[in-house]
């Protein structure tokens, strides 16, 4: 759905796209705060920071992206992107990155990132989007390993 949404936003001439989880964990008033760094030109991408992690795999991924890019919560569903970034990369997500591919592409490209605190409410549905504890941790760990492998290829001079 996000892939289709990004493509449609580009066709409609939008300048930026915000992702926002549909489980009511975020207050819609945050959208303005997340868009502001892009609109003011102080950042090239904006990533929310929930300040807490539900799973061990989220802590590990967050630890790595905090050390590597200064981004503590790469898995936060509240992000803002310029549509040009989507066109440059050619996609939002290839399926295994649990919604992190475009953000990681931007960070690896040296784009300026603003991190915005995003308070979280209990989710409406009760069911996490990544599944139960084992399934969710597995999916996030696979995405983390993929991100780490791409970074290692970049580090050793074989970018993808």
């Amino acid at each position: 759905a996000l892939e289709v949404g990004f493509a449609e936003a580009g066709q409609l001439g939008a300048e930026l796209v915000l992702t926002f989880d549909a489980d009511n964990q975020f207050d819609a008033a945050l959208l303005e705060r997340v868009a502001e760094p892009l609109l003011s030109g102080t950042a090239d991408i904006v990533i929310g920071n929930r300040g807490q992690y539900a799973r061990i795999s989220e802590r590990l991924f967050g630890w790595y992206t905090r050390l590597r890019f200064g981004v503590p919560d790469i898995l936060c569903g509240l992000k803002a992107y310029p549509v040009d970034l989507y066109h440059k990369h050619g996609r939002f997500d290839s399926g295994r990155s649990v919604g992190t591919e475009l953000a990681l592409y931007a960070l690896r490209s040296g784009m300026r990132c603003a991190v915005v605190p995003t308070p979280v409410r209990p989710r409406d549905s009760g069911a996490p989007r990544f599944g139960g504890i084992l399934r969710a941790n597995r999916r996030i760990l696979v995405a983390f390993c993929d991100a780490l492998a791409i970074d290692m290829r970049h580090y050793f001079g074989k970018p993808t």
Side-chain angles (χ1 to χ4, degrees):
L2 285 168
E3 190 70 43
V4 171
F6 271 79
E8 184 68 17
Q11 290 176 357
L12 292 172
E15 293 182 25
L16 62 101
V17 175
L18 282 78
T19 60
F20 188 88
D21 288 349
D23 58 8
N24 201 31
Q25 284 194 288
F26 301 120
D27 186 332
L30 289 170
L31 292 172
E32 199 171 320
R33 188 178 344 152
V34 171
E36 193 279 326
L38 263 69
L39 295 172
S40 68
T42 60
D44 302 313
I45 183 174
V46 182
I47 300 174
N49 179 15
R50 298 167 292 176
Q52 60 191 18
Y53 304 106
R55 302 170 190 90
I56 189 76
S57 56
E58 289 178 291
R59 286 188 198 104
L60 179 63
F61 210 160
W63 173 81
Y64 175 73
T65 57
R66 181 178 26 259
L67 287 176
R68 173 90 165 81
F69 304 110
V71 174
D73 191 9
I74 195 71
L75 293 167
C76 182
L78 188 53
K79 298 180 180 82
Y81 305 88
V83 171
D84 291 346
L85 173 65
Y86 168 77
H87 291 301
K88 183 177 178 187
H89 185 55
R91 64 184 176 269
F92 169 73
D93 190 277
S94 59
R96 287 176 41 125
S97 75
V98 292
T100 63
E101 183 177 337
L102 189 58
L104 287 169
Y105 172 79
L107 294 168
R108 289 183 190 112
S109 299
M111 295 179 79
R112 298 171 301 152
C113 179
V115 175
V116 174
T118 53
V120 177
R121 306 184 284 223
R123 67 173 44 96
D124 276 351
S125 68
R129 67 184 169 125
F130 295 135
I133 293 171
L134 292 176
R135 182 172 179 255
N137 276 305
R138 182 186 160 287
R139 284 188 69 195
I140 293 167
L141 286 172
V142 166
F144 169 64
C145 288
D146 286 348
L148 191 58
I150 291 168
D151 281 348
M152 294 305 287
R153 285 193 295 272
H154 278 263
Y155 180 77
F156 289 110
K158 299 176 186 166
T160 55

